[in-house]
């Protein structure tokens, strides 16, 4: 600690070099944390709901099951709740595919109980449940289209079987909120409306695309899935029941590949900072050969000289990492308003930097600084005084 | 003008520092190119699927074949239109198709994967070019048989010729393997139109109609007529356009990710290059002073250092390009049209060009400040500095 001012003085010696290196580290740590946050929310999203199963037609989700299955599934021992949910594919204007957002017809009462991650106030929830034509939307969707509670929304489905002669009209009963800490990756750009309204509008012929099933004991996933599928084994529409994680994975664009890709990028980013920082550290040490010789001549042990250089690297790394995190905090808020990148981010669940990743980012910064300082530090440790004072 | 060998020699003296800067730049270029290669590969696979010669008829407002559906007789009325080209057998080149998805187990882990299944008539093979049966034989009309794309056969269990797969309540014989030249059809299973219709309870309907127009310029008028038909509203778009639209969202995402990641990483690498160039300039200030004293102008000194940074960055760019070639041809799958599509990473010459341009930009930006510092240093000061 006594030598901290000495180390800081060294860092200030070449002001431009220190600040550009710190900026390079900051940018890379920022990128690293952003990518990791994204990966965390993606995997968090895939892993949610260990007590939830999804039952669909066994051929694929392009086929639908009769409405009568619900009561039979609910009667299976171990099943707590069942809710029908159909992806509606509704659009405000079929000729404008760019405007698209995701909307579902749900059996609201049980669905909201199964999915606690869509948070509504009691009044909003009651208003939604009481209004046959009510719908609830996520915060991001409300911002995108500038929608408020009470606004009317008209949707036509792009799915052939769900086409109605006139668009379905809704009134927004509430705007749901999400808790990204408890339920990472919850999508806040969805619209939900009543299955009953949808069923009546389509002439009670549409059927059910998925049954969302909540079970009491996560240990019974296999047994209950099998029990449900056995129920309908001999009927016209056989079913396939899987965990929600499996179901989501089968829908995902790129899914596991994307996580691998982002982790690969994060790793390359770390290597890049390592090279930039190592470059700076070795330059800094090379310039100070004579000074190191003086320190050694004065009787400071070689180990002490080595520690000085290593701490210099670590401080540089930590400084860069903290700057990067501050940058990240600011940018994650500001980014959705940038044209190209904003659109990109909006199609994903809202992110916030988890504490574990922030701490990880700082640790990586410090570690990289130490690693970058390692080679020059060892060289300084080994070099003899006579070598150091000899002009190059 | 100073000779180029002067720059190269001066980089060689500080080779360790130069090498670190080069590696930094090459990694940035490599990441940038890998992401672009993924976007290009996916886009090329879908682009290869749609021919510019063909047009696709869908239900009006449908974004994909899967969500489009219309009665077969409406399709039949379109199929006799005189604007449609005729094949060698003088029959119109029209292919009515049923499209659905079926969940089948992956070979790797047995997890279910969504495969696009298409019901076709023999006309499908005439309307589309480049489809070849590479194993077994083609479909026979009216039978419960399928041919499987090469890609889907490699990915899904139980699709060897001679095996049977169960879809709905029907068993289908796998009779052949189809090679579609890397297009999306390689990821599909094709069966007979009528057999599929009855197996999937879709008889009397179709999802799409692919046809060849005698004159491509008739498409907008044809499209307008189809949309305005009071009985069944359909739409027509070029097959190429349809598949490019399907690729749009994912390629857009990958390109945006490529730009975001590489701009941030690239700025970091520019700082690294700047440090190296600064060190190079500082070490040679006396040399610069001498050159100026000899009469070389500021512009020449400036351009010499920028050229040096550029050389350094281009070396990094070339290494990055070589690194990215390692992923060329890598197989990946993604979801499009709601079924999985396999595609290969493609590092195109254009992408390599972007990579090198990106590297050069980093080099110039990184060396500009240090170069200015060198060129504007007063001669007397420069000569005095150790």
């Amino acid at each position: 600690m006594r030598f901290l001012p000495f180390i800081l003085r060294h860092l200030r010696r070449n002001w431009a070099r220190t600040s550009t290196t710190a900026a390079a580290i900051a940018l890379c740590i920022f990128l690293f944390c952003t990518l990791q946050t994204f990966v965390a929310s993606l995997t968090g999203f895939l892993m949610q709901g260990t007590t939830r199963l999804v039952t669909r037609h066994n051929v694929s989700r392009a086929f639908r099951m009769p409405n009568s299955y619900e009561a039979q599934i609910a009667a299976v021992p171990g099943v707590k709740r069942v809710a029908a949910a159909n992806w509606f594919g509704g659009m405000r204007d079929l000729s404008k595919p760019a405007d698209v957002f995701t909307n579902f017809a749900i059996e609201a009462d049980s669905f909201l109980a199964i999915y606690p991650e869509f948070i509504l106030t009691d009044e909003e929830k009651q208003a939604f449940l009481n209004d046959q034509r009510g719908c609830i939307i996520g915060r991001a969707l409300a911002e995108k289209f500038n929608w408020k509670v009470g606004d009317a929304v008209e949707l036509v489905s792009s799915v052939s079987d769900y086409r109605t002669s006139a668009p379905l009209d809704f009134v927004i009963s509430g705007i749901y909120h999400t808790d990204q800490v408890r339920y990472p990756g919850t999508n806040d750009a969805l619209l939900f409306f009543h299955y009953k309204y949808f069923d009546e509008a389509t002439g009670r012929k549409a059927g059910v695309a998925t049954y969302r099933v909540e079970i009491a004991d996560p240990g019974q996933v296999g047994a209950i899935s099998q029990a449900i599928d056995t129920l309908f084994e001999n009927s016209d529409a056989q079913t396939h029941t899987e965990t929600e994680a499996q179901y989501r994975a089968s829908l995902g664009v790129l899914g596991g590949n994307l996580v691998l890709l982002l982790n690969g990028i994060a790793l390359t980013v770390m290597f890049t900072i390592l090279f930039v920082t190592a470059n700076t550290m070795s330059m800094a040490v090379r310039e100070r050969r004579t000074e190191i010789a003086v320190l050694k001549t004065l009787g400071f042990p070689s180990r002490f000289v080595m520690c000085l250089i290593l701490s210099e690297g670590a401080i540089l790394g930590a400084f860069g990492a903290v700057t990067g995190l501050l940058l990240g905090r600011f940018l994650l808020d500001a980014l959705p308003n940038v044209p190209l990148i904003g659109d990109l981010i909006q199609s994903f669940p809202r992110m916030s930097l988890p504490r574990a990743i922030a701490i990880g980012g700082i640790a990586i910064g410090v570690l990289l600084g130490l690693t970058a300082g390692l080679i020059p530090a060892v060289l300084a440790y080994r070099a003899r005084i006579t070598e150091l004072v000899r002009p190059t | 003008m100073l000779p180029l060998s002067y720059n190269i020699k001066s980089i060689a003296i500080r080779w360790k520092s130069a090498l670190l800067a080069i590696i930094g730049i090459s990694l940035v270029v490599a990441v940038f190119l890998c992401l672009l290669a993924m976007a290009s590969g996916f886009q090329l696979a879908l682009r290869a699927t749609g021919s510019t010669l063909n047009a696709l008829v869908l239900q009006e407002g449908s974004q994909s074949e899967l969500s489009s559906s219309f009665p077969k007789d409406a399709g039949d009325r379109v199929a006799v239109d005189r604007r449609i080209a005729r094949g060698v057998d003088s029959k119109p080149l029209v292919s009515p198709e049923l499209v659905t998805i079926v969940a089948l187990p992956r070979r790797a882990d047995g997890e279910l994967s969504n495969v696009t299944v298409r019901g076709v008539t023999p006309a499908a093979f005439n309307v589309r070019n480049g489809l070849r049966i590479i194993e077994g034989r083609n479909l026979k009309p009216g039978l419960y048989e399928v041919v499987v794309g090469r890609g889907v056969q490699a990915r899904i269990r139980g699709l060897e010729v001679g095996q049977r797969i169960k879809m709905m309540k029907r068993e289908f014989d796998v009779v052949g393997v189809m090679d579609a030249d890397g297009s999306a059809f390689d990821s599909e299973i094709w069966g007979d139109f009528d057999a599929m219709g009855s197996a999937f309870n879709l008889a009397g309907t179709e999802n799409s109609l692919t046809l060849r127009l005698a004159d491509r310029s008739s498409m907008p008028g044809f499209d307008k007529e189809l949309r305005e038909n009071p009985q069944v509203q359909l739409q027509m778009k070029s097959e190429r356009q349809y598949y490019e639209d399907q690729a749009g969202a994912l390629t857009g995402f990958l390109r945006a990710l490529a730009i975001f990641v590489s701009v941030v990483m690239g700025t970091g690498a520019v700082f690294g290059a700047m440090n190296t160039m600064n060190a190079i300039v500082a070490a040679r200030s006396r040399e610069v002073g001498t050159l100026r004293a000899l009469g070389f102008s500021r512009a020449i000194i400036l351009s010499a250092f920028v050229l040096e940074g550029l050389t350094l960055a281009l070396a990094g760019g070339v290494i990055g390009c070589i690194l990215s070639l390692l992923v060329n041809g890598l197989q990946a799958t993604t979801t499009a049209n709601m079924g999985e599509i396999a595609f290969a990473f493609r590092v195109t010459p254009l992408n390599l060009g972007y990579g090198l341009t990106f590297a050069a930009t980093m080099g110039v930006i990184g060396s500009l400040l240090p170069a200015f510092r060198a060129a504007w240093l007063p001669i007397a000061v420069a000569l005095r500095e150790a």
Side-chain angles (χ1 to χ4, degrees), chain B residues 54-55 213 215-224 236-238:
Chain B
N54 291 342
L213 288 174
D215 176 8
R216 251 184 289 166
S217 62
S218 63
M219 197 178 309
F222 209 154
D223 178 46
K224 193 160 178 281
M236 178 184 275
K237 51 166 105 175
S238 122

Side-chain angles (χ1 to χ4, degrees), chain A residues 16-17 20-21 23-24 27-28 30-31 34-35 38 56-63 91 94 97 158-160 163 234-236 238 240 242 246 250-254 257-258 261-262 265 268-269 271-272 275-276 278-280 282-283 286 335 340-341 344 348, chain B residues 14 16-17 20-21 23-24 27-28 31 35 38 59-63 66-69 100-103 111-112 114 166-169 200 202 250 252-254 256-257 259-261 264-265 267-269 271-272 274-276 278-279 332-335 338 343 345:
Chain A
R17 184 171 61 207
T20 48
T21 311
L27 282 169
C28 289
F30 157 66
L31 189 58
T34 314
L35 292 176
F38 188 44
R56 59 159 170 84
H57 194 287
N58 86 324
V59 173
S60 72
R61 53 181 207 293
F63 296 86
M91 292 167 72
L94 287 178
S158 62
V159 180
S160 174
R163 283 292 170 84
N234 296 316
S235 49
D236 273 346
Q238 295 168 355
H240 177 79
E242 58 198 343
Q246 286 169 324
S250 77
L251 297 178
V253 179
L254 289 167
N257 290 346
L258 187 61
L261 178 81
L262 294 176
I265 296 175
T268 326
V269 170
F271 268 106
T272 314
F275 287 119
V276 172
N279 201 354
T280 304
S282 52
M283 277 193 268
R286 210 180 301 127
L335 228 45
L340 183 69
I341 294 167
L344 168 76
F348 292 98
Chain B
R14 298 217 147 235
K16 278 185 204 151
S17 169
L20 289 173
I23 293 176
L27 287 177
V28 176
V31 166
L35 287 171
M38 203 164 165
Q59 185 182 20
E60 194 190 12
S62 289
Q63 309 305 324
L66 201 61
S67 63
S68 151
S69 174
T100 188
I101 53 170
V102 171
E111 291 287 324
L112 295 175
N114 291 310
K166 190 165 179 241
M167 294 191 285
M168 296 296 269
K169 301 214 146 173
F200 287 94
L202 294 169
L250 182 65
F253 165 70
L254 287 174
L257 185 68
I259 292 169
F260 173 62
V261 167
V264 177
M265 256 181 107
T267 318
F271 287 142
M274 216 183 259
N275 282 343
T276 305
N278 257 326
T333 55
T334 183
T335 308
M338 287 172 90
F343 64 96
F345 281 57

Side-chain angles (χ1 to χ4, degrees), chain B residues 149-380:
Chain B
R150 211 164 42 104
V152 78
Q153 191 199 33
R155 225 170 55 244
I156 300 292
R157 281 183 194 167
L159 294 185
E160 310 304 330
V161 173
Q163 287 183 306
R164 315 185 95 191
I165 54 166
K166 190 165 179 241
M167 294 191 285
M168 296 296 269
K169 301 214 146 173
R170 283 285 182 176
E171 300 254 343
F172 287 79
D173 286 309
V174 179
V175 296
V177 178
M178 170 172 74
D179 177 26
D181 214 15
S183 76
F185 299 129
D186 266 338
S187 300
E188 296 188 354
I189 295 178
W190 285 19
D192 177 74
F193 184 85
D194 294 321
M196 288 285 172
S198 74
F200 287 94
N201 301 322
L202 294 169
T205 65
E206 56 198 41
N207 293 77
S208 69
L209 207 60
T210 303
L211 52 86
R212 174 93 43 99
L213 288 174
D215 176 8
R216 251 184 289 166
S217 62
S218 63
M219 197 178 309
F222 209 154
D223 178 46
K224 193 160 178 281
E225 273 172 46
L226 291 177
R227 284 175 192 271
E228 284 168 0
N229 184 330
Q231 288 152 346
V232 184
Q233 282 96 45
L234 301 174
Q235 59 176 332
M236 178 184 275
K237 51 166 105 175
S238 122
E239 197 186 17
R240 166 72 52 89
Q241 186 63 47
Y242 171 77
Y243 282 101
E244 280 186 350
D245 289 350
Q246 298 291 312
L250 182 65
T251 45
F253 165 70
L254 287 174
R255 294 239 157 90
L257 185 68
I259 292 169
F260 173 62
V261 167
S262 29
V263 164
V264 177
M265 256 181 107
T267 318
V270 162
F271 287 142
M274 216 183 259
N275 282 343
T276 305
M277 288 306 295
N278 257 326
I280 288 177
V281 169
R284 287 215 308 265
S285 57
R286 191 178 282 178
E287 211 175 295
V288 171
T290 313
L291 285 171
R292 294 266 290 118
L294 285 175
F296 284 102
S297 72
R298 281 189 172 141
I300 285 181
I301 305 285
L302 183 80
S303 62
F305 278 109
V306 170
L307 205 64
E308 219 166 289
L310 192 65
T311 318
L312 214 90
L314 280 179
V318 170
I319 297 176
C321 286
I322 294 170
L323 283 178
S324 76
L325 287 177
L326 294 177
V327 303
N328 196 21
L330 195 73
Q331 290 290 330
T333 55
T334 183
T335 308
N337 204 357
M338 287 172 90
E340 274 197 1
I341 287 185
F343 64 96
F345 281 57
R346 287 270 169 264
V347 181
T348 60
L350 186 69
N351 287 349
L352 291 179
Y354 285 142
L356 288 178
T357 316
F358 183 37
T361 318
M362 286 192 274
V364 172
I365 296 177
S367 55
L368 218 48
L369 261 170
F372 264 109
R373 223 183 75 183
W376 265 259
L377 208 60
I379 300 179

Side-chain angles (χ1 to χ4, degrees), chain A residues 57-316:
Chain A
H57 194 287
N58 86 324
V59 173
S60 72
R61 53 181 207 293
F63 296 86
R64 285 174 295 278
M65 302 163 288
N67 298 44
S68 61
Y69 283 14
E70 178 160 341
Q72 286 173 273
I73 295 173
V76 171
V79 171
K80 264 170 80 182
R81 291 191 187 90
V82 187
N86 281 29
W87 178 79
F88 180 60
M91 292 167 72
R92 296 204 295 166
D93 182 349
L94 287 178
S95 60
K96 281 191 199 142
D99 244 20
V100 73
F101 61 92
T102 309
N103 39 73
F104 284 94
I106 55 165
E107 283 178 330
D109 209 355
S110 45
F111 186 91
L112 291 176
I114 299 175
Y115 290 84
E117 55 258 53
F118 302 110
I119 304 160
L120 286 168
T121 62
D122 286 340
E123 298 89 74
E124 282 176 322
K125 189 172 168 184
Q126 271 316 312
F128 177 46
L129 293 180
N130 293 340
D131 186 358
Q132 180 78 264
R133 303 202 159 180
C135 69
I136 51 170
I137 58 173
R139 198 157 52 108
L141 202 60
E143 281 167 17
K144 184 175 176 191
F145 293 116
N146 211 1
W147 280 338
K148 299 176 298 296
V149 172
D151 283 0
V153 179
E154 283 195 347
L155 294 178
V156 193
S157 177
S158 62
V159 180
S160 174
D161 294 352
Y162 298 167
R163 283 292 170 84
T164 44
S165 48
L168 295 189
D169 55 320
F170 308 102
V171 176
I172 298 172
S173 332
I175 295 173
Y176 70 79
H177 286 254
T178 58
D179 181 347
Q180 297 294 341
V181 179
R182 277 179 70 195
Y183 309 106
T186 307
N187 193 336
D188 63 357
L190 301 175
L191 182 150
F192 294 106
F193 60 93
H194 292 288
Y195 179 84
K196 198 167 168 222
Y197 177 35
F198 157 82
D199 196 31
E200 279 166 12
T202 51
R204 298 195 181 279
K205 288 186 309 223
V208 176
T210 62
Y211 285 108
R212 309 298 167 112
V213 181
E214 187 182 14
I215 59 175
D217 173 14
Q220 280 197 292
V221 164
I224 296 176
S225 305
Q226 207 163 18
I228 294 174
D229 292 343
T230 315
L231 276 180
F232 309 109
E233 211 166 36
N234 296 316
S235 49
D236 273 346
Q238 295 168 355
T239 59
H240 177 79
T241 305
E242 58 198 343
T243 61
E244 195 171 78
Q246 286 169 324
Y247 179 75
R248 283 180 169 166
S250 77
L251 297 178
V253 179
L254 289 167
N257 290 346
L258 187 61
V259 172
L260 200 69
L261 178 81
L262 294 176
N263 280 333
I265 296 175
L267 199 68
T268 326
V269 170
M270 288 203 287
F271 268 106
T272 314
I273 343 171
L274 181 62
F275 287 119
V276 172
T277 323
N279 201 354
T280 304
M281 286 309 295
S282 52
M283 277 193 268
V285 172
R286 210 180 301 127
E287 275 174 13
R288 296 210 296 266
R289 299 164 61 90
T290 7
E291 273 167 51
I292 291 168
V294 170
L295 280 176
K296 285 192 173 188
T297 315
L298 285 176
F300 286 104
S302 293
R303 198 179 301 136
F304 170 80
V305 174
M306 186 168 84
C307 286
L308 271 187
I309 295 171
L310 283 179
S311 357
E312 196 178 320
I315 290 173
L316 185 63

